[in-house]
Amino acid sequence: MSSTDRTRPFGQLLTAMVTPFTVAGEVDLAAARELAEYLVDTQHNDGLVINGTTGEAPTTSDGEKAELLATVVDAVGDRASVLAGVGTFDTVHSVQLAEQAAKAGADGLLVVTPYYSRPPQAGILRHFRVIADASPLPVMVYDIPGRTGVRLETETLIELAAHEQVVAVKDARGDLAASARVLAETDLAYYAGDDALLLPLLSIGATGLVGTSTHFSGAATRQLLDAYGRGDTAEALRIYRQLLPIYTGIFRTQGVILVKAGLALQGRPVGPVRLPMVEATEHDLSHLRQDLAAAGLA
């Protein structure tokens, strides 16, 4: 469900969806359909990001990615934006994944800064431009230097914003001053890539959130966004403070581990994680229960 609104190209609230697996470790397409419908219809997401970090994309094959994406598009694509994570450290492979995503019916691409190789800014710029040039789909750039090992410099992002297909940023760099500058000098739509950065980023002009805890907190986060949108900043702050324990707690260990554990706790099991991820420990589960309860979500 594509949007023509440059300020909200994919809506306001998106969840980076986990990939359900069977007990045998195969992608569970039936569970993926059910989860996607739940996230859109009950948790009030405007969109879903498939095959991202929380979707365990590093451990799914290209074929699995295509099947999963097509399943989610078929399930909710008529009422939510569906973005495909296609970023890798290999530009050619990323282009191939972008082509695959377009064929599967995606509305947009999430492209992370190329990781591990730590290319210079000129290489990063060309990487994004080549992918954007090769696809008809709009691109959301994902800036998360803690994972990629390289920072997407502000000047690079501003230069990249001139590309017609680059419309948004998933911002997980944690530098509000830098983000404020890009917001002031470009028309990029900014989405918080760290749940706890949502309200701070909204205050400087951001659009919304690509969330992880929103597997559970989506409906309440929608209330936060609506309150902020109508100018009731006090109510938005109240909801933000209520949700802060799960916004931060979901990252006590790797997010997908706790999301899958939390869904199981709430009666929506989506199967195990794939190595090198491991299942939540009893210690993890104890904290997760506390965080959900503190956020009013238990």
Side-chain angles (χ1 to χ4, degrees), residues 1 18 67-68 71 87-88 93 96 107 112-113 141 157 184 246 271 296:
M1 184 182 69
V18 296
E67 288 185 330
L68 180 64
T71 296
T88 72
H93 188 201
Q96 292 168 345
D107 296 302
V112 71
T113 308
V141 172
L157 188 51
I246 195 63

Side-chain angles (χ1 to χ4, degrees), residues 118-132:
R118 300 187 69 179
Q121 294 297 304
I124 293 171
L125 186 62
R126 287 183 62 188
H127 174 82
F128 281 113
R129 283 176 169 169
V130 167
I131 297 167

Side-chain angles (χ1 to χ4, degrees), residues 33-265:
R33 174 180 291 273
E34 183 177 343
L35 178 60
E37 291 173 344
Y38 169 74
L39 291 174
V40 172
D41 298 336
T42 303
Q43 290 295 336
H44 305 296
N45 283 273
D46 300 314
L48 302 174
V49 175
I50 310 303
N51 298 325
T53 307
T54 309
E56 297 179 77
T59 60
T60 56
S61 69
D62 290 2
E64 288 174 327
K65 288 178 172 66
E67 288 185 330
L68 180 64
L69 183 59
T71 296
V72 173
V73 168
D74 183 64
V76 300
D78 60 338
R79 58 191 187 278
S81 297
V82 180
L83 277 71
V86 301
T88 72
F89 49 33
D90 177 351
T91 306
V92 172
H93 188 201
S94 295
V95 168
Q96 292 168 345
L97 289 175
E99 293 170 347
Q100 174 178 281
K103 290 178 182 178
D107 296 302
L109 307 174
L110 179 71
V111 184
V112 71
T113 308
Y115 46 89
Y116 185 74
S117 303
R118 300 187 69 179
Q121 294 297 304
I124 293 171
L125 186 62
R126 287 183 62 188
H127 174 82
F128 281 113
R129 283 176 169 169
V130 167
I131 297 167
D133 284 341
S135 176
L137 298 178
V139 171
M140 179 186 289
V141 172
Y142 187 11
D143 184 16
I144 183 166
R147 285 190 180 277
T148 63
V150 62
R151 178 184 173 99
L152 181 58
E153 296 295 344
T154 300
E155 291 75 15
T156 305
L157 188 51
I158 290 171
E159 190 171 357
L160 186 59
H163 196 291
E164 185 179 47
Q165 293 297 103
V166 177
V167 301
V169 179
K170 181 182 178 185
D171 181 11
R173 75 161 98 179
D175 185 341
L176 289 175
S179 299
R181 180 184 165 197
V182 178
L183 278 160
E185 296 185 22
T186 75
D187 61 356
L188 290 173
Y190 255 68
Y191 292 83
D194 181 332
D195 299 22
L197 289 178
L198 173 58
L199 191 58
L201 277 168
L202 287 175
S203 74
I204 58 172
T207 294
L209 171 67
V210 178
T212 302
S213 77
T214 45
H215 284 82
F216 325 113
S217 65
T221 300
R222 166 62 62 197
Q223 294 175 354
L224 185 163
L225 288 163
D226 288 347
Y228 193 88
R230 65 175 180 267
D232 191 349
T233 54
E235 175 65 2
L237 180 58
R238 184 194 68 78
I239 298 170
Y240 174 80
R241 287 173 172 168
Q242 174 188 319
L243 295 176
L244 196 56
I246 195 63
Y247 280 173
T248 56
I250 201 67
F251 300 113
R252 287 181 186 272
T253 185
Q254 217 282 349
V256 63
I257 294 173
L258 292 185
V259 169
K260 286 191 167 181
L263 288 169
L265 287 176

